[in-house]
Amino acid sequence: MDIRTLACFIAVAEDLHFRRAADRMNLTQPSLSQRIRALENEIGAELFERDRRGVALTPAGAAFLGPARKAVEHANAARTQALRAVRGEVGHLRLGFTVIAFYGVLPEAVRAFRARYPDVEVDLIEMNSPLLEAALAAGDIDLGVLHPPLSTPDLIAHPLPDEPLVLALPSAHRLAEQAAIHVADLDGEPFLLAPRAIGPSIYDRVIALFQTEGLSPRIVQEVTPMTTLAGLVAAGAGLGFVTAGIARVARPGVTYRPVTPAPPSLPMAAAWREPALSASGRRFLEMVRTLVAASGS
């Protein structure tokens, strides 16, 4: 009892005319009649009375019409939902991100995505970059916004604009009066830095920045995430680099200044596990790309 045959039965029941119903279903009349006869044989009852005066529903046909309509409606609804899932308009998206990522276009992208695709359930999961890689590899999340380079095999990364770094220092610090701070000015200053295990590439590049000036940073505390680092700066624990996105959010007691030579920027990327990103993930990534392009980043 296929949906096409049920639709043929409904057409005949509504038109009470085999030829008109056949035209409506883009079938020949013999083909339509054959489908109706096969349906009656499957049910074990005649659905139509046929005589020279025309066509009429039998009591069995009248009883069958309502459920047949519902079956076709449900089948059409199921097909529509399936196609929407293929297009990424319905379903579930597990989105992982670092704290730093949420100081860029990501919050706006999530808001816009939820508004456009309200039938996609979005789970937001915050982790550091290495844990996001592990979660992607394990299939625990669909898409992660993190910091390359990636060390986990079988992950695909789509680059996003890097986040420049600026120096966070206590507002009462003597260097806060300067419009820009030279790396040499940081000699001997208590420095806060994320552990190398969290981001070995950026850690090594920050150390190299000091070494180009013949210095070694006096690291007094390793701290993550950068929002916590900014809090420690406010508490007078030291100085440290944060992203420009974090610096855009004013924090009492903290001043942000550019540094020369320029510190390394923090790379950003959207990553997923091979072989392909889910349809809803592709839709979300399109949203991020659009917002990045609009911002001119």
Side-chain angles (χ1 to χ4, degrees):
M1 191 178 299
D2 62 90
I3 298 300
R4 174 73 167 163
T5 297
L6 290 179
C8 288
F9 162 76
I10 293 168
V12 176
E14 291 175 347
D15 292 342
L16 295 177
H17 196 285
F18 273 77
R19 182 180 59 77
R20 287 198 296 268
D23 291 342
R24 179 173 160 186
M25 298 302 298
N26 294 315
L27 293 171
T28 64
Q29 186 171 333
S31 295
L32 178 69
S33 297
Q34 185 178 5
R35 281 181 175 269
I36 297 300
R37 183 60 65 190
L39 180 60
E40 290 175 325
N41 290 338
E42 185 176 354
I43 293 172
E46 289 191 354
L47 302 175
F48 296 101
E49 294 177 353
R50 307 164 179 85
D51 57 30
R52 292 182 179 181
R53 292 175 296 175
V55 178
L57 283 167
T58 64
F64 188 67
L65 180 57
R69 281 178 170 147
K70 289 182 179 179
V72 172
E73 288 172 4
H74 290 162
N76 289 336
R79 178 179 180 274
T80 298
Q81 283 295 89
L83 292 176
R84 292 187 69 207
V86 169
R87 296 192 296 264
E89 299 170 358
V90 64
H92 190 196
L93 175 63
R94 299 167 299 172
L95 176 64
F97 61 94
T98 65
V99 167
I100 293 168
F102 237 66
Y103 282 81
V105 300
L106 203 57
E108 186 179 356
V110 171
R111 286 195 301 270
F113 183 82
R114 281 176 162 164
R116 182 173 297 181
Y117 305 110
D119 292 327
V120 178
E121 182 181 354
V122 181
D123 289 344
L124 298 174
I125 305 152
E126 186 267 317
M127 299 181 186
N128 64 43
S129 198
L131 289 179
L132 284 173
E133 286 192 50
L136 286 167
D140 294 333
I141 59 175
D142 304 304
L143 181 65
V145 181
L146 39 61
H147 312 295
L150 306 184
S151 59
T152 305
D154 302 326
L155 295 185
I156 300 172
H158 172 79
L160 298 173
D162 289 1
E163 274 284 336
L165 296 183
V166 297
L167 185 69
L169 67 164
S171 298
H173 196 282
R174 59 182 177 81
L175 295 176
E177 298 177 358
Q178 299 179 194
I181 297 171
H182 197 281
V183 171
D185 296 334
L186 303 179
D187 186 22
E189 294 287 342
F191 203 75
L192 309 172
L193 188 60
R196 190 176 187 279
I198 297 299
S201 176
I202 192 69
Y203 182 98
D204 291 345
R205 291 161 66 198
V206 167
I207 298 300
L209 173 69
F210 281 84
Q211 290 176 340
T212 58
E213 299 298 310
L215 306 174
S216 293
R218 184 167 72 89
I219 300 173
V220 295
Q221 187 170 345
E222 292 187 335
V223 55
T224 188
M226 282 186 179
T227 48
T228 301
L229 188 151
L232 290 176
V233 170
L239 296 71
F241 289 124
V242 300
T243 62
I246 290 176
R248 282 192 290 269
V249 181
R251 181 157 196 157
V254 181
T255 296
Y256 302 101
R257 292 288 183 264
V259 170
T260 58
S265 57
L266 184 67
M268 303 285 297
W272 59 92
R273 187 176 66 171
E274 291 183 321
L277 182 59
S278 67
S280 57
R282 291 195 302 272
R283 291 284 189 185
F284 183 80
L285 189 53
E286 289 170 7
M287 187 75 69
V288 171
R289 288 169 174 163
T290 299
L291 292 172
V292 166
S295 69
S297 300

